Amino acid sequence: MSKKENYEQRTEEILLRIMEELGVELVDVEYVKEGGTWYLRSYIDKPGGITVNDCETVSRRLSDILDEKDFIDDSYIMEVSSPGLGRPLKKEKDFKRSLGKEVEIKTYRMIDKQKEFTGILKEYDENTVTIALDEETVKTFEKGDIALIRLAFDF
């Protein structure tokens, strides 16, 4: 396990206990380097949406525990936020919640002369995602070919 994966996993374990107490869902944890600075980002959600107060409460509790455990060697900036409208589908619960809804898929390589697809999420398993492009056309993608999958939204 890489240092990055270890930090994410240990942070997720801490956050899951906090989330359970607060009735909030942990969407994702990422430890990334941007412009020479490390960021430990946690994305949280709940029915009706997340407020600034929710983010502050989680941030304070997480910060205290991270200070106590002190397992991250690098200096970093910690952020707690909502996943936003363009939140990617990553986990089983994300796919389950999105069944029957319109999703956008971006692929790493061209498939049928395109890299972006929009359709209704019909099925998924650990290796594939199937969407209905229209009433007659169904397309199955290998998860390894998918760069991004998220709910489609129109403004």
Side-chain angles (χ1 to χ4, degrees):
M1 177 182 304
S2 73
K3 176 173 77 168
K4 173 187 176 321
E5 292 170 328
N6 181 44
Y7 293 165
E8 290 172 347
Q9 181 180 12
R10 290 182 70 181
T11 301
E12 187 170 320
E13 290 168 4
I14 294 166
L15 279 166
L16 287 172
R17 289 192 296 270
I18 296 170
M19 301 293 103
E20 190 174 312
E21 291 173 30
L22 300 175
V24 177
E25 174 191 357
L26 177 61
V27 175
D28 199 14
V29 174
E30 63 181 5
Y31 186 70
V32 295
K33 191 170 192 177
E34 295 176 0
T37 302
W38 283 101
Y39 291 87
L40 179 63
R41 292 192 178 115
S42 305
Y43 299 97
I44 61 175
D45 203 2
K46 70 178 183 185
I50 289 295
T51 66
V52 172
N53 289 339
D54 295 323
C55 292
E56 180 183 8
T57 300
V58 171
S59 180
R60 287 179 191 273
R61 303 231 349 235
L62 177 59
S63 179
D64 289 345
I65 295 170
L66 288 174
D67 287 346
E68 177 186 314
K69 303 272 186 194
D70 196 29
F71 59 85
I72 299 177
D73 297 330
D74 312 301
S75 87
Y76 61 93
I77 295 171
M78 186 188 73
E79 298 176 349
V80 176
S81 69
S82 162
L85 286 176
R87 111 189 215 181
L89 307 183
K90 291 186 173 184
K91 298 180 179 180
E92 164 86 15
K93 63 185 174 185
D94 300 327
F95 285 95
K96 187 175 183 179
R97 179 179 35 240
S98 300
L99 276 173
K101 296 182 180 173
E102 189 175 42
V103 295
E104 296 176 349
I105 293 178
K106 294 183 181 184
T107 58
Y108 290 112
R109 61 179 178 79
M110 297 283 254
I111 298 174
D112 299 333
K113 300 181 183 174
Q114 62 187 59
K115 291 178 78 172
E116 296 184 16
F117 302 84
T118 302
I120 305 300
L121 180 60
K122 292 295 188 185
E123 296 177 21
Y124 66 91
D125 60 34
E126 66 182 50
N127 300 312
T128 62
V129 173
T130 302
I131 63 172
L133 300 172
D134 57 42
E135 290 184 21
E136 300 171 8
T137 310
V138 174
K139 182 96 182 127
T140 299
F141 299 86
E142 292 293 324
K143 282 190 175 174
D145 291 335
I146 298 173
L148 173 70
I149 180 170
R150 65 180 176 195
L151 287 176
F153 49 93
D154 293 320
F155 290 102

